[in-house]
Amino acid sequence: QVQLVESGGGLVQPGGSLRLSCAASGSGFSIVVMGWYRQAPGKQRELVAASNNAGITNYADSVKGRFTISRDNAKNTVYLQMNSLKPEDTAVYYCHANGRRNYELYQFWGQGTQVTVSS
């Protein structure tokens, strides 16, 4: 099994920055994709950013130019640098990973970390 542990959430003023971190631990799986989702009250969970092992990234339109995803593949750690934060970014942010074992794909989720953007 794979465990995802997130850190870096908190309260920040509009225009500020935060960096989220997520470390994957465990054995038996090869992590092929890591990324971040978020969910605000009354809204469905949405993809924020993702990165595969080839370095290909994908961002939600609402965060392009403001957020940057990066990975340390050797440590199975993914980061989300969030700049120019807006109140609309307030949500619970979830780390996500896709892992492969014996030609089958599995999904793993972190516990979530709260990001609140408010003055």
Side-chain angles (χ1 to χ4, degrees):
Q1 192 67 27
V2 173
Q3 182 179 8
L4 304 177
V5 180
E6 301 139 323
S7 63
L11 175 65
V12 65
Q13 295 184 22
S17 298
L18 285 173
R19 190 177 80 152
L20 306 182
S21 300
C22 173
S25 62
S27 62
F29 293 87
S30 177
I31 303 299
V32 295
V33 177
M34 296 190 75
W36 295 90
Y37 288 73
R38 68 185 182 187
Q39 187 167 23
K43 297 183 178 180
Q44 66 179 0
R45 189 172 299 186
E46 65 174 347
L47 174 70
V48 177
S51 177
N52 69 10
N53 289 352
I56 299 174
T57 58
N58 182 215
Y59 295 91
D61 289 340
S62 60
V63 307
K64 287 181 179 178
R66 299 188 297 119
F67 291 10
T68 303
I69 188 171
S70 60
R71 289 178 62 184
D72 184 338
N73 291 334
K75 297 181 178 180
N76 282 327
T77 300
V78 63
Y79 306 91
L80 185 67
Q81 179 66 46
M82 304 185 293
N83 298 325
S84 301
L85 283 162
K86 304 175 180 180
E88 309 93 274
D89 296 317
T90 296
V92 177
Y93 284 69
Y94 296 91
C95 183
H96 172 264
N98 288 338
R100 177 180 59 80
R101 184 178 68 180
N102 296 330
Y103 312 107
E104 297 184 28
L105 293 175
Y106 300 82
Q107 292 191 76
F108 307 97
W109 293 92
Q111 80 286 353
T113 183
Q114 177 71 47
V115 172
T116 302
V117 184
S118 176
S119 60

